[in-house]
Amino acid sequence: MSGTPLAWEEFTRVDMRVGRIVEVEAFPQARRPAWKLRVDFGAEIGVRRSSAQITNYAASELQDRLVVGVVNFPPKQIGPVRSECLVLGTYTADGTVLLLNPEPDARPGDRVG
């Protein structure tokens, strides 16, 4: 097992939802290359902003893409951007981020768990 053991109750507190990227902007002020995203998590959550170091994806590849995000972390100030959610992905051996992909029939706001 890697990492510190996590109690089931702790895991269930993490609110992961399906979202749809509705806006992608360049983020030239970021220390490491990143995009500014707006992600729609459905009627209950709404649209949240995020800064994401996923520049291995072109803006056109991200626009309207379904993603998985954590929506209950406190906001984090990243330079001039107030990041309100964490878009989830995996890291390859060379550090490239690959986004988690919900099934095509998933809808913004659907819970992951």
Side-chain angles (χ1 to χ4, degrees):
M1 181 187 324
S2 67
T4 304
L6 183 69
W8 181 253
E9 294 76 24
E10 292 173 292
F11 173 73
T12 61
R13 291 182 49 220
V14 179
D15 191 357
M16 293 177 282
R17 304 284 183 120
V18 173
R20 182 178 305 281
I21 298 174
V22 295
E23 187 176 325
V24 182
E25 291 182 62
F27 188 6
Q29 306 92 332
R31 279 187 264 151
R32 294 195 290 189
W35 292 110
K36 292 189 286 187
L37 306 176
R38 292 179 61 83
V39 184
D40 180 4
F41 288 101
E44 181 183 348
I45 307 283
V47 176
R48 299 275 177 97
R49 293 175 296 207
S50 185
S51 168
Q53 296 173 357
I54 52 173
T55 55
N56 52 299
Y57 293 93
S60 61
E61 292 177 283
L62 296 171
Q63 185 68 44
D64 296 321
R65 183 185 186 112
L66 288 177
V67 293
V68 175
V70 177
V71 297
N72 66 334
F73 284 143
K76 182 176 182 176
Q77 195 68 37
I78 302 173
V81 174
R82 182 177 167 98
S83 191
E84 302 167 318
C85 64
L86 175 66
V87 176
L88 298 177
T90 63
Y91 289 99
T92 64
D94 68 359
T96 301
V97 177
L98 302 175
L99 293 172
L100 297 184
N101 293 311
E103 290 291 322
D105 289 340
R107 298 285 174 247
D110 287 353
R111 285 188 181 273
V112 176

